[in-house]
Amino acid sequence: RAVLFNNDGTKVYVMGYSSDSIHQYSLSTAYDITSSSMSYDNESYDFTETGTPQDMKWNDDGTKIFVSDSGTRYIYEYNLSTAYDVSTISYSNNSYYISQSTSPKGFDFNGDGTKMFVSCDGSDYIYQYSLSTAYSLASVTYDNVYFNHSSQTSGASGLIFSPDGKKLFIVSDSSNKVWEYHLPDAYDISTMYHASEPSYGFSVSSQDTGPCGLAFNADGTLIDILGGSYSESEW
């Protein structure tokens, strides 16, 4: 359901929906997911708190990982005693219940971990939250700020911001497309609008149906889409 890289692109992580687990792989060439570069590290972690995990995100230094669950409607927080090493994950006992809508799926943070944004299948809205302590789910409050993306698509299964917070990308498992939005004010979805081109979204249906996760390389020149049916693909 979700894919992440570490800070330098030499590791990639894939989360399974049915297994509730994250699996860690090494890349001999940074951000290169081809079979000649990618190898399994035999390291994984079972998110026992979740039953229907949907998306995952790091904090700024890889010492925390967060997982959304569409069934329980919680986002869960985990600690890593060694950054980006999934064998060192432990549950922090911090979580946050998404009461605004059912079936939370994709989510992301702003650049300093003081804002969180969550997409929900139950409403086709993205909701904005504040964190008084950066990257701590014990400190979340709802901002009463939201954005309705139903004019473009439903089923926002994954989302990610550009590093400057002025673009947001949504991958939809119902339209099999990636959609681009612009934010004049960084990380403020109340100012967000859909990019005029391509107005129809970028289709990945030739590679996979039911795409669910997406991740960029460090400079935004590569995007990886995790397929819900077949594969992970890179553009």
Side-chain angles (χ1 to χ4, degrees), residues 152 167 179-182 193-202:
Q152 290 77 50
K167 288 187 178 183
W179 302 85
E180 177 182 328
Y181 298 83
H182 293 179
Y193 61 92
H194 176 233
S196 58
E197 296 294 340
S199 60
Y200 49 82
F202 171 66

Side-chain angles (χ1 to χ4, degrees), residues 204-212 225-233:
V204 298
S205 58
S206 296
Q207 289 74 39
D208 200 280
T209 55
C212 43
I225 309 293
L226 186 66
S229 300
Y230 303 108
S231 63
E232 182 177 349
S233 301

Side-chain angles (χ1 to χ4, degrees), residues 126-147:
I126 298 171
Y127 299 94
Q128 179 179 307
Y129 305 82
S130 290
L131 295 84
S132 57
T133 301
Y135 297 109
S136 172
L137 293 185
S139 68
V140 178
T141 55
Y142 178 47
D143 287 345
N144 199 31
V145 175
Y146 50 85
F147 178 84

Side-chain angles (χ1 to χ4, degrees), residues 206-225:
S206 296
Q207 289 74 39
D208 200 280
T209 55
C212 43
L214 72 170
F216 283 100
N217 67 344
D219 63 3
T221 58
L222 284 176
I223 187 171
D224 285 77
I225 309 293

Side-chain angles (χ1 to χ4, degrees), residues 20-156:
D20 305 331
S21 299
I22 180 175
H23 298 266
Q24 177 178 308
Y25 302 80
S26 290
L27 303 172
S28 58
T29 302
Y31 299 106
D32 181 357
I33 62 169
T34 57
S35 57
S36 60
S37 172
M38 187 169 166
S39 60
Y40 183 44
D41 288 347
N42 287 311
E43 292 189 6
S44 63
Y45 181 82
D46 183 9
F47 296 111
T48 56
E49 292 72 29
T50 70
T52 48
Q54 298 291 337
D55 199 3
M56 59 181 178
K57 291 293 188 295
W58 298 117
N59 68 341
D60 56 348
D61 63 3
T63 59
K64 288 180 181 287
I65 193 168
F66 302 84
V67 177
S68 61
D69 187 285
S70 60
T72 65
R73 295 169 63 173
Y74 276 89
I75 296 177
Y76 298 92
E77 176 186 322
Y78 299 83
N79 297 322
L80 292 85
S81 56
T82 301
Y84 301 109
D85 183 348
V86 302
S87 69
T88 69
I89 293 177
S90 61
Y91 182 44
S92 71
N93 291 312
N94 285 338
S95 61
Y96 183 77
Y97 181 72
I98 303 299
S99 61
Q100 284 67 40
S101 182
T102 58
S103 193
K105 286 191 169 181
F107 72 101
D108 202 4
F109 296 96
N110 67 342
D112 63 6
T114 59
K115 294 285 184 182
M116 182 174 70
F117 307 84
V118 181
S119 66
C120 292
D121 247 5
S123 62
D124 293 329
Y125 277 69
I126 298 171
Y127 299 94
Q128 179 179 307
Y129 305 82
S130 290
L131 295 84
S132 57
T133 301
Y135 297 109
S136 172
L137 293 185
S139 68
V140 178
T141 55
Y142 178 47
D143 287 345
N144 199 31
V145 175
Y146 50 85
F147 178 84
N148 186 342
H149 56 77
S150 60
S151 295
Q152 290 77 50
T153 188
S154 60

